[in-house]
């Protein structure tokens, strides 16, 4: 070490190929220059601008996704408010009309008086059920719903859901058929949650079908299970 390259190769016991040594030196110098070139390109203003542009594009994509999600959430919230307002208006109007009729004494006898009271009580139950369903749906959307499992009569679930949407299907061109098989076994579930899901399916079937709204809800045995179908 420390001797000139030519003298080192001329020493005893050294067998050097000068062309090979010079080639290796040129390759080492070329690799060093390439490394410096790469480092300079990474540090160049043009590369910095590209990085900034890519970061801005990624940020714009994230903002667009967030804004789009917020728009969808707002639209769903507005639809829910409109649905709640419409669904609550019907039983409230019926209760008010029945009470006004009774207060004004516009009934023939005690039998009719009792019938009006029974209708008002039924509308009140329907109103309470609607409120419970909407609250349950809201909790489901927020992931805060706790389920109360018990034995449930399928026919009662279907009846409650159909009563909640029956007013919609009384318009001309609309029809709701109910087919509940006899002798269905009880199932284990949350009656309120099942009713909410069925109401939502019936509501969507009414909303998204054409002018001829022919919807059928069926409950039947399928082996050791019970199926609930909504068909439009």
């Amino acid at each position: 070490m420390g001797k000139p390259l030519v003298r080192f190769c001329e020493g005893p016991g050294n067998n050097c190929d000068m062309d090979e040594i010079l080639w290796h030196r040129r390759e080492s110098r070329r690799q060093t220059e390439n490394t410096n070139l790469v480092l300079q390109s990474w540090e160049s203003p043009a590369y910095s601008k590209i990085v900034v542009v890519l970061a801005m594009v990624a940020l714009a994509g994230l903002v667009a996704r967030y804004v789009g999600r917020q728009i969808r959430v707002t639209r769903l919230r507005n639809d829910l408010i409109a649905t709640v307002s419409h669904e609550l208006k019907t039983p409230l109007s019926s209760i008010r009309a029945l009470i006004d009729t009774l207060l004004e004494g516009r009934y023939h006898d005690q039998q009719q008086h009792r019938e009006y009271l029974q209708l008002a009580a039924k509308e009140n139950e329907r109103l309470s059920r609607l409120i419970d369903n909407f609250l349950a749906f809201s909790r489901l959307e927020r992931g805060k719903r706790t389920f109360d499992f018990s034995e449930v009569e399928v026919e009662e679930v279907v009846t409650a859901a159909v009563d909640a949407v029956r007013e919609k299907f009384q318009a001309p061109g609309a029809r709701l058929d109910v087919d509940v098989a006899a002798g269905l076994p009880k199932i284990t579930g949350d009656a309120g949650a099942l009713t909410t899901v069925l109401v939502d399916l019936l509501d969507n079937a009414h909303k998204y079908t054409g002018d001829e709204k022919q919807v059928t809800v069926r409950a039947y045995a399928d082996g050791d299970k019970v199926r609930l179908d909504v068909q439009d």
Side-chain angles (χ1 to χ4, degrees), residues 14-25:
N14 293 325
N15 184 16
C16 298
D17 188 337
M18 292 299 299
D19 291 336
E20 182 178 356
I21 292 174
L22 292 174
W23 180 84
H24 281 294
R25 293 187 64 182

Side-chain angles (χ1 to χ4, degrees), residues 71-100:
I71 292 174
R72 290 193 296 272
V73 169
T74 301
R75 186 182 298 117
L76 288 173
R77 185 181 296 113
N78 292 337
D79 290 344
L80 179 61
I81 291 174
T83 301
V84 169
S85 301
H86 175 75
E87 294 295 338
L88 296 182
K89 182 178 179 180
T90 301
L92 284 173
S93 299
S94 299
I95 293 172
R96 183 174 60 186
L98 290 167
I99 291 176
D100 289 343

Side-chain angles (χ1 to χ4, degrees), residues 41-184:
S41 65
W42 277 73
E43 297 172 354
S44 65
Y47 180 79
S48 300
K49 291 179 180 180
I50 293 175
V51 172
V52 171
V53 171
L54 291 176
M56 292 179 64
V57 170
L59 180 61
L62 292 174
V63 171
R65 289 179 60 185
Y66 175 78
V67 172
R69 182 179 180 276
Q70 291 300 112
I71 292 174
R72 290 193 296 272
V73 169
T74 301
R75 186 182 298 117
L76 288 173
R77 185 181 296 113
N78 292 337
D79 290 344
L80 179 61
I81 291 174
T83 301
V84 169
S85 301
H86 175 75
E87 294 295 338
L88 296 182
K89 182 178 179 180
T90 301
L92 284 173
S93 299
S94 299
I95 293 172
R96 183 174 60 186
L98 290 167
I99 291 176
D100 289 343
T101 299
L102 293 173
L103 289 175
E104 294 171 5
R106 289 186 283 115
Y107 53 89
H108 299 295
D109 50 31
Q110 289 299 318
Q111 178 64 26
Q112 191 175 43
H113 181 273
R114 182 176 179 80
E115 290 176 357
Y116 286 167
L117 287 176
Q118 289 175 340
L119 287 173
K122 184 177 180 179
E123 290 298 321
N124 181 61
E125 291 177 1
R126 178 186 175 192
L127 180 61
S128 299
R129 188 163 53 245
L130 283 171
I131 293 173
D132 290 341
N133 288 339
F134 286 127
L135 290 176
F137 180 77
S138 177
R139 288 192 292 268
L140 282 172
E141 288 293 299
R142 299 196 307 269
K144 296 183 178 180
R145 172 64 191 261
T146 57
F147 296 99
D148 182 16
F149 289 94
S150 61
E151 288 192 340
V152 178
E153 290 281 359
V154 177
E155 187 173 2
E156 293 179 359
V157 172
V158 174
T159 301
V162 169
D163 286 344
V165 300
R166 189 181 299 279
E167 190 74 20
K168 294 183 176 182
F169 289 91
Q170 292 179 351
R175 177 177 174 179
L176 177 60
D177 294 325
V178 180
D179 181 14
V180 179
L184 288 177

